[in-house]
Amino acid sequence: MTFVVTENCIRCKYTDCVEVCPVDCFYEGPNFLVIHPDECIDCALCEPECPAEAIFSEDELPDAQQVFIEINAELAEVWPNITEKKDPLEDAEAWDGRTGKLEQLER
Ligand code: SF4
Ligand code: F3S
């Protein structure tokens, strides 16, 4: 089991989540973060920290977000680790809650 970062993180990237993770298993891309599924210990601390409500337990993932299981696993292998909070992306507030953001994902 793991937690998964989903679509609403894209173009927001608030990074509050990384501050609470006890095993530092977040990885950072240009406009999205992912969780490494083999490193996550399922503690659930990050889920309530995300202002965009983008983090879900794998077993509570909405159907439309299932694709993000694979995206997290794949990109956690190639993106660098992030352990400290930084400023959100410019226009994060404007992008928060929009649909169809998957096509905005930069790899
Ligand atoms: Fe880190 Fe816990 Fe969130 Fe997993 S559930 S990513 S271990 S804070
Ligand atoms: Fe993304 Fe939420 Fe973390 S927007 S960077 S999952 S705090």
Side-chain angles (χ1 to χ4, degrees), residues 2-54:
T2 180
F3 278 64
V4 179
V5 184
T6 64
E7 186 168 19
N8 203 33
C9 176
I10 297 169
R11 295 201 71 156
C12 291
K13 205 168 78 169
Y14 285 109
T15 72
D16 301 70
C17 52
V18 305
E19 291 255 291
V20 298
C21 181
V23 293
D24 294 340
C25 64
F26 282 90
Y27 293 79
E28 182 186 22
N31 66 5
F32 186 55
L33 252 58
V34 293
I35 292 169
H36 197 306
D38 298 336
E39 297 174 0
C40 174
I41 59 170
D42 224 11
C43 70
L45 288 175
C46 57
E47 185 179 4
E49 296 299 319
C50 176
E53 299 182 356

Side-chain angles (χ1 to χ4, degrees), residues 31-87:
N31 66 5
F32 186 55
L33 252 58
V34 293
I35 292 169
H36 197 306
D38 298 336
E39 297 174 0
C40 174
I41 59 170
D42 224 11
C43 70
L45 288 175
C46 57
E47 185 179 4
E49 296 299 319
C50 176
E53 299 182 356
I55 302 176
F56 292 83
S57 169
E58 189 178 19
D59 60 4
E60 292 175 351
L61 208 54
D63 284 348
Q65 303 295 315
Q66 292 287 334
V67 64
F68 282 91
I69 293 176
E70 194 57 42
I71 290 171
N72 277 243
E74 178 194 339
L75 297 176
E77 292 288 347
V78 293
W79 282 350
N81 193 232
I82 173 173
T83 58
E84 289 181 10
K85 180 174 165 53
K86 54 171 70 171
D87 289 340

